[in-house]
Amino acid sequence: MNTEQIRSAERALSAGTWLIVAGAMLYSILTVTPLAARHTPDEWDWTAPILPLVVDAAVVIVVRLDAVLARLGGNGGKWPVVLRWMTGCMTLALNVADSALKHDLVGVAVHAVAPLLLIVTAETGLAYRRAIAAAVTALEDRRRAEQEDRERAAAERREAAERRAREEREHAAKLAREQREHEAHLAREQTEREERARREERERAEARERAEREARERRERELEQRERERQEREREASRRREEELRAREEAARRERAEREEKAARERAALLAGGPAAEKLPEDRARRIVLAAFEEGLPVRAAAELCGWSVGWVSTRYQELRDSTAPVEVLTR
């Protein structure tokens, strides 16, 4: 069976499946819509066809995606099976519900034909498509193997022809080489003296070139050695500068930490005195207000610590805020 016949079978299967799906959808809409309309408020009767359309749309999705997965040889897992059977059962239940409520067994049987045919067609079509996909894969593998065998045989024939041609060329080359060797042997005696003279001259020229090359290489090695020494000195100087820079940065960090720790101890000492029993001297009061401002204490707490009024402390807080605002802007 060739590829065209397989494609024809697939087209027949697809056309029959979609014909059954379309008929079942139309029959389902015509059957379920009156049932949905009777169980829907009168002002919403126009929504009755939506339910069969939604269920049938799910059927179309299942059939279409199953066809694509089967053609690609994939497997969607358990959820496509659940959706396929759930939509089929919903379609069956909706189609036979009206007859079942009326206890009409003949109506139940008649209205069950299209949903059952749709369910069985979906399952059978999926099985057919998987079988066709497996058969197509096997056919393609067989054709590929046959093509590879033909190509291998053709390659072997080409190799044999090339081998024969190579042997013929080698034989002809061997005869030509023997002829050239004979001619060269006759001419060798005549040219040996000239060759010895040229060889001696060439050896002298090579000796001069070798001496010049050695001298040039020696100069280049000396230049490279001096360049390496210069680079090494520069790297060492750079390393020393980096170490000095790190040492200065570390000293600066330690100095800042010591200043901050000293300032923190001084603020703690100023704030540890508790509420003042009387108004402290202005110089000490200003130091206490500064420490309270830096620690983020409220104005009233600072006023209690220094014994001055809340208004005076508020004025000092505002002065401190005004003096620190440009610094904050610059740090941002």
Side-chain angles (χ1 to χ4, degrees), residues 60-189:
V60 171
I61 291 172
V62 170
V63 172
R64 179 57 181 164
L65 293 184
D66 282 343
V68 174
L69 284 177
R71 188 67 182 87
L72 297 176
N75 184 9
K78 64 180 181 179
W79 287 111
V81 178
V82 172
L83 180 59
R84 190 165 57 248
W85 279 95
M86 184 178 69
T87 53
C89 293
M90 287 180 179
T91 303
L92 177 62
L94 289 173
N95 276 271
V96 303
D98 192 19
S99 299
L101 292 173
K102 297 176 181 179
H103 303 287
D104 183 5
L105 298 181
V106 176
V108 170
V110 170
H111 288 92
V113 171
L116 290 176
L117 182 60
L118 180 61
I119 294 171
V120 175
T121 300
E123 294 295 330
T124 306
L126 179 60
Y128 277 142
R129 288 190 178 91
R130 287 176 177 171
I132 290 172
V136 170
T137 302
L139 180 60
E140 291 177 352
D141 292 340
R142 185 167 62 254
R143 289 180 177 175
R144 191 180 301 109
E146 292 175 355
Q147 180 66 24
E148 290 176 355
D149 292 339
R150 288 193 296 272
E151 292 177 355
R152 190 181 304 109
E156 292 175 354
R157 288 194 297 271
R158 286 195 302 271
E159 290 177 358
E162 292 174 357
R163 185 168 57 253
R164 288 193 298 271
R166 186 170 57 252
E167 292 175 354
E168 293 176 356
R169 288 194 301 271
E170 290 176 354
H171 180 67
K174 181 179 180 181
L175 294 177
R177 185 172 57 254
E178 291 176 354
Q179 180 66 25
R180 288 193 301 272
E181 289 176 355
H182 178 67
E183 294 175 353
H185 178 72
L186 294 176
R188 189 177 301 115
E189 293 179 356

